[in-house]
Amino acid sequence: MDVKLFDSELKVMGVLWREGDCTAKYISDVLKEETGWNMNTTYTVIKKCIKKGAVERREPNFMCHALVPKEEVQEAETQELINKIYDGSADKLFAALLSRKKLSAEQIEHLKKLVNDLE
Amino acid sequence: MSIWSMSVSGGILILIILILRGLFQNRLPRQTFLALWAVVLFRLLIPVSVPADCSVYHLLGTFRMERVEEQWSRVFRQNAESGNYRPEKTVAKDAGSGEVTEEGQTGVSDHFLVWKEIWKTVYLWGVFFCVLSYLFLSLKCYREFRISLPVKHVWIQKWVQHVPMRRNIQVRQMERITTPMTYGVFHPVILLPKNMDLEDTEQLQFVLTHEAVHIRRLDVVKKMFLAAAVCIYWFHPLVWIMYVLANRDLELACDEGVIRQFGQDSRAAYAYALISLAERKNSRIPLGSGFSKNAMEERIVAIMKKKKITIGAAAAAIVLVIAVTVFFATSAPQRDIQREDTMVLESQDSKVSADQEITQEAVKEEPQEMNHRALESDDGTAAWEEEIQKIYQEIYHSQEFSDYEKFGLSYDEKNGYLLYKNEMVGYFKDEMSPGLYRRFTDEKGKIALVVSRDAKWNMTGFQEKSMEEVLGQNGQTAENITGVTGTDRNGAVAFASSDASVSASEDVSAAASENGNFIIEFPDEYAEYGVTWDGKYHGKQIIFLYDKNHSVIANGGSGVSEAEGVYLQVRRDSKGKITSLEEVTKEEMQKILDAEKTGLEI
């Protein structure tokens, strides 16, 4: 799957990643709570995910199975961000992240550890 | 009112507003112009005419919507008219005369009829297409909006809680839009573009307040009405202009509302917020179209230039709106186009009170007073002779006589009759304007003339017929007439109706019965109230019938006493539809006729 996922589709994927395989009905119930979508809307989005190859439909009961793991999507999004906004340089993104004062102490620790590992 | 007349009056209103808007848009509250646009929409979408003396159409005098409309509908109804002519046509064929003119006449109206049909079809398809496009685009938008996601943001949550609104507002975010917008009437939603910086609370408050003003003012509904106007008047360029400008005015008025809330000092901050939103928008889709740049600039300029609204300005605004409505949204009162009318018939025994009246109305703008001449009944001949001379004189001195002369009519003053091709004219009919006829019969004459006119109501010539044809058409024969008249009798008949619809298809004509009474063919609409072909109302002979504003019809009712006969008054509602036929006594009828200043005496 190499087509980008939109926010609405990521919502559906989110449910699948959290809960594992579930029925479409279940997803629509959850999302009704979270986003206010009605059943038709959720089903439309699920079908789009299927078309993009992110979700697989299994019978019986319209079971949905995530074909794409969360990490893969994260990686793809990050790469796109780097390419688009940071001139393809991961370092620049990193520097930017560091300069953001909003990083918590925890996050800074985590980053330092990363740097350590990569070295 | 028809689409045509509404288009014209609506168009004029739009032009007026365009001028006013150009002059005063920075000095008056923007909502003034919204009110004015609302007046236009009312005029365009609601087919009601509001007659008023102060209407500019009445004051101008020369330009009349109804007259224009009447002329058009007259033209279109020529079809019916030429339909009526057809029997004459065959007769004419046999007599071998008048054929050519006949052809010409039907030719003209057929031509128009074809165009009318074509336009009707094109128009309806246009409306269908517009409505379909609008619905399709709207539906597409709504389907996309469905997958928007709710915004979880503390500041926004607080704002929603505290905004004064009866309905619940949702604030959501969406990827594919580039500018904040709102939709929904009963469950309004504010939609924010995904890339909006939600941390910039100053910008956020401007954006949310702007959308809230739209929601509170139900601008979504107003836009729908504008769209409806465009669908119905898709052919009308001014309506399209109105659509564009009114939408812009909605935005500008909204900006004003925001500034009013935050105070004059916030103008610069608000303007900057708008600019930065627009920047982001354009970077994603490099439109840079002149159109949106224009609109944006107009907004910024308007925001910065607008001063605080003074009481003076507000008062001026209200006065302006009222003035425009009163002068331009009203129409000329019915009186102006109303024509009094009489059709009088004389029965054989002119003994009876029947009056012979000739009504000719000037075809000028303001109708003249009706001419009435009462005829003394008993001594038919001399008095009648005098009468017919008067008619001839009137025709001779009328506006139309120069036209008649052009086509071969002349007045023999010495002998006192009208000549056409060296023949004395025995029957004459001229429909001088929609529903207004000039007609006389002098059975001494040999030739019958019917005036032909073109679509612009200019005379094109005479149709010649023989006396037999003309009188025969009405169920009489010349023999009948002369046989029956010991005294000369003729109907000098002028029938006029202010209601063009009555004239063509329900042309009220007179036919002589065997015993000499003229039989009137009443308009069809009387039939359902009990009026029969022989001039009886529920079995009783009608002595006199009065239908205000439509036609006054008098039947001699020879020898019918008041007890045996009936006097009827036709009552109509404000739409001109008959509500009832009312029986009255002779005195009451006379009172009515006097009150209406008809000058008739029964």
Side-chain angles (χ1 to χ4, degrees):
Chain A
M1 180 222 91
D2 43 22
V3 185
K4 184 174 154 63
L5 287 175
F6 290 128
D7 280 1
S8 48
E9 290 138 13
L10 285 172
K11 266 291 189 204
V12 167
M13 298 309 296
V15 177
L16 289 173
W17 288 327
R18 272 200 316 266
E19 320 249 354
D21 292 358
C22 23
T23 60
K25 182 78 172 61
Y26 178 76
I27 298 175
S28 83
D29 289 339
V30 170
L31 290 181
K32 177 85 178 112
E33 282 298 314
E34 277 183 39
T35 64
W37 291 349
N38 65 20
M39 209 171 88
N40 280 329
T41 313
T42 315
Y43 273 63
T44 310
V45 179
I46 293 176
K47 281 182 197 141
K48 265 207 237 136
C49 292
I50 296 173
K51 204 163 142 198
K52 287 188 179 179
V55 167
E56 188 188 39
R57 176 179 176 159
R58 290 176 184 166
E59 293 304 331
N61 295 337
F62 200 145
M63 289 293 284
C64 299
H65 170 79
L67 291 175
V68 175
K70 188 167 180 179
E71 289 72 25
E72 194 179 313
V73 174
Q74 284 169 327
E75 164 63 30
E77 290 284 332
T78 315
Q79 192 58 46
E80 190 181 324
L81 181 69
I82 293 172
N83 292 340
K84 270 195 191 162
I85 315 284
Y86 292 100
D87 304 324
S89 159
D91 292 344
K92 287 199 182 160
L93 170 60
F94 195 57
L97 286 172
L98 281 177
S99 67
R100 276 164 63 119
K101 294 169 192 156
K102 296 196 176 159
L103 284 179
S104 68
E106 243 178 38
Q107 286 171 313
I108 294 177
E109 277 308 310
H110 185 78
L111 281 171
K112 284 189 181 161
K113 187 167 175 296
L114 260 178
V115 171
N116 262 333
D117 292 342
L118 289 169
E119 266 182 326
Chain B
M1 296 195 84
S2 70
I3 299 265
W4 272 122
S5 53
M6 289 198 282
S7 304
V8 175
S9 48
I12 292 177
L13 261 176
I14 295 177
L15 282 173
I16 303 281
I17 297 176
L18 287 180
I19 296 171
L20 292 172
R21 191 177 180 271
L23 291 172
F24 299 122
Q25 63 176 326
N26 286 327
R27 300 203 207 129
L28 293 173
R30 185 61 60 163
Q31 281 180 299
T32 320
F33 303 104
L34 288 184
L36 289 173
W37 292 129
V39 172
V40 179
L41 278 179
F42 186 89
R43 175 23 98 236
L44 288 176
L45 297 176
I46 303 182
V48 169
S49 67
V50 183
D53 274 348
C54 49
S55 165
V56 76
Y57 303 114
H58 169 63
L59 297 173
L60 281 178
T62 44
F63 182 82
R64 298 274 178 75
M65 218 72 55
E66 284 82 356
R67 178 116 171 253
V68 172
E69 213 225 304
E70 243 181 83
Q71 289 213 338
W72 275 104
S73 55
R74 190 72 197 88
V75 163
F76 296 146
R77 247 177 232 105
Q78 266 187 345
N79 178 53
E81 184 80 333
S82 56
N84 286 342
Y85 281 160
R86 248 163 239 136
E88 282 181 33
K89 199 176 174 180
T90 22
V91 177
K93 249 190 176 161
D94 294 340
S97 65
E99 238 184 63
V100 177
T101 353
E102 198 65 75
E103 278 298 324
Q105 193 156 34
T106 7
V108 167
S109 56
D110 268 358
H111 193 66
F112 270 102
L113 210 65
V114 166
W115 276 115
K116 182 195 173 193
E117 287 305 308
I118 292 178
W119 168 248
K120 230 204 275 186
T121 319
V122 168
Y123 170 73
L124 288 174
W125 276 109
V127 175
F128 179 68
F129 175 72
C130 283
V131 171
L132 219 65
S133 317
Y134 179 75
L135 290 177
F136 177 71
L137 289 171
S138 304
L139 239 71
K140 212 170 124 183
C141 277
Y142 282 129
R143 284 194 51 176
E144 287 206 12
F145 293 164
R146 270 191 319 177
I147 56 177
S148 60
L149 298 171
V151 167
K152 289 186 176 55
H153 193 275
V154 177
W155 194 95
I156 295 181
Q157 246 65 297
K158 282 237 163 78
W159 180 89
V160 168
Q161 267 183 323
H162 288 106
V163 69
M165 189 78 62
R166 267 200 221 135
R167 299 160 276 163
N168 281 334
I169 304 184
Q170 280 185 67
V171 180
R172 300 170 78 97
Q173 230 178 5
M174 232 187 86
E175 257 176 325
R176 284 196 251 175
I177 54 171
T178 52
T179 163
M181 53 177 73
T182 173
Y183 67 91
V185 178
F186 298 108
H187 304 284
V189 174
I190 296 178
L191 219 48
L192 302 173
K194 182 167 171 214
N195 59 4
M196 208 170 112
D197 178 14
L198 299 180
E199 304 313 315
D200 183 353
T201 49
E202 200 194 22
Q203 186 190 65
L204 201 55
Q205 77 177 354
F206 282 134
V207 166
L208 291 176
T209 310
H210 179 102
E211 299 307 328
V213 172
H214 273 314
I215 292 173
R216 196 175 297 125
R217 292 181 183 179
L218 289 174
D219 283 353
V220 170
V221 176
K222 293 175 189 170
K223 285 187 193 234
M224 285 197 239
F225 278 118
L226 286 168
V230 157
C231 284
I232 296 176
Y233 294 90
W234 59 263
F235 55 87
H236 199 319
L238 286 176
V239 173
W240 280 100
I241 293 179
M242 172 188 77
Y243 180 76
V244 169
L245 292 181
N247 270 303
R248 277 204 215 161
D249 281 343
L250 279 170
E251 281 305 312
L252 292 164
C254 189
D255 288 336
E256 270 181 33
V258 174
I259 300 290
R260 205 174 305 151
Q261 207 171 317
F262 286 108
Q264 282 284 100
D265 298 330
S266 63
R267 279 179 300 161
Y270 183 60
Y272 283 127
L274 286 182
I275 295 170
S276 72
L277 274 177
E279 257 181 343
R280 210 167 297 130
K281 166 182 175 180
N282 282 331
S283 69
R284 285 199 51 178
I285 300 169
L287 277 173
S289 73
F291 180 76
S292 64
K293 260 201 219 133
N294 242 333
M296 191 60 193
E297 206 179 294
E298 192 183 35
R299 279 179 82 181
I300 303 287
V301 168
I303 291 165
M304 296 313 293
K305 266 193 167 180
K306 204 36 139 333
K307 303 188 185 70
K308 191 158 158 58
I309 301 167
T310 59
I311 305 237
I318 295 175
V319 166
L320 194 67
V321 174
I322 295 177
V324 168
T325 312
V326 153
F327 284 121
F328 291 96
T330 49
S331 41
Q334 206 58 24
R335 253 181 286 125
D336 288 349
I337 45 169
Q338 180 191 108
R339 298 187 199 99
E340 296 287 354
D341 45 62
T342 19
M343 176 169 88
V344 171
L345 318 134
E346 191 189 22
S347 80
Q348 218 262 293
D349 320 313
S350 316
K351 189 178 306 197
V352 165
S353 34
D355 296 336
Q356 177 175 39
E357 306 186 69
I358 298 114
T359 316
Q360 287 177 15
E361 208 175 77
V363 189
K364 290 202 177 55
E365 307 298 298
E366 299 296 330
Q368 295 169 0
E369 283 295 297
M370 273 168 56
N371 301 325
H372 292 279
R373 272 150 287 178
L375 171 68
E376 253 314 287
S377 37
D378 258 352
D379 182 5
T381 326
W384 169 78
E385 187 61 50
E386 209 180 285
E387 275 313 305
I388 197 76
Q389 285 307 315
K390 286 205 189 124
I391 298 173
Y392 289 146
Q393 287 278 342
E394 258 186 52
I395 294 179
Y396 180 53
H397 290 112
S398 72
Q399 239 191 347
E400 293 79 20
F401 192 71
S402 53
D403 277 342
Y404 298 154
E405 253 190 323
K406 221 182 354 174
F407 290 102
L409 190 71
S410 59
Y411 178 53
D412 184 337
E413 243 179 309
K414 203 167 73 163
N415 294 314
Y417 48 74
L418 290 170
L419 273 174
Y420 182 78
K421 293 191 179 165
N422 283 322
E423 298 260 30
M424 176 176 169
V425 177
Y427 174 85
F428 184 91
K429 174 168 128 173
D430 180 8
E431 190 176 354
M432 306 188 291
S433 72
L436 180 60
Y437 291 79
R438 173 183 283 142
R439 187 161 37 188
F440 72 81
T441 311
D442 185 349
E443 100 294 331
K444 294 204 299 287
K446 299 279 175 285
I447 191 166
L449 293 177
V450 176
V451 173
S452 330
R453 291 179 180 275
D454 62 18
K456 292 203 177 86
W457 239 256
N458 297 320
M459 181 169 171
T460 54
F462 284 118
Q463 272 178 285
E464 297 167 37
K465 300 182 198 289
S466 71
M467 290 299 286
E468 292 81 44
E469 287 169 51
V470 163
L471 301 173
Q473 180 200 17
N474 296 332
Q476 304 160 308
T477 60
E479 200 179 57
N480 225 350
I481 300 249
T482 39
V484 151
T485 114
T487 57
D488 290 332
R489 59 185 211 91
N490 67 308
V493 171
F495 164 67
S497 165
S498 63
D499 178 358
S501 67
V502 173
S503 60
S505 45
E506 303 147 52
D507 196 0
V508 180
S509 47
S513 72
E514 292 149 58
N515 61 7
N517 283 329
F518 278 89
I519 294 173
I520 312 157
E521 283 169 50
F522 289 97
D524 292 352
E525 37 180 356
Y526 293 167
E528 56 185 22
Y529 292 91
V531 174
T532 49
W533 63 274
D534 54 354
K536 290 215 172 71
Y537 176 72
H538 292 310
K540 278 183 164 185
Q541 182 70 37
I542 299 175
I543 302 176
F544 197 101
L545 183 145
Y546 182 57
D547 188 354
K548 181 175 155 176
N549 299 345
H550 280 67
S551 49
V552 172
I553 303 169
N555 182 350
S558 66
V560 179
S561 68
E562 204 186 333
E564 292 166 29
V566 70
Y567 295 83
L568 288 175
Q569 183 183 35
V570 179
R571 292 208 170 278
R572 293 177 184 267
D573 62 12
S574 54
K575 292 189 191 108
K577 213 169 158 301
I578 297 185
T579 51
S580 65
L581 262 57
E582 195 185 277
E583 274 187 69
V584 297
T585 66
K586 185 171 169 183
E587 288 115 63
E588 286 169 352
M589 181 56 82
Q590 187 62 58
K591 276 210 197 89
I592 295 169
L593 294 175
D594 292 339
E596 296 294 333
K597 298 206 176 59
T598 60
L600 291 169
E601 272 170 75
I602 47 176

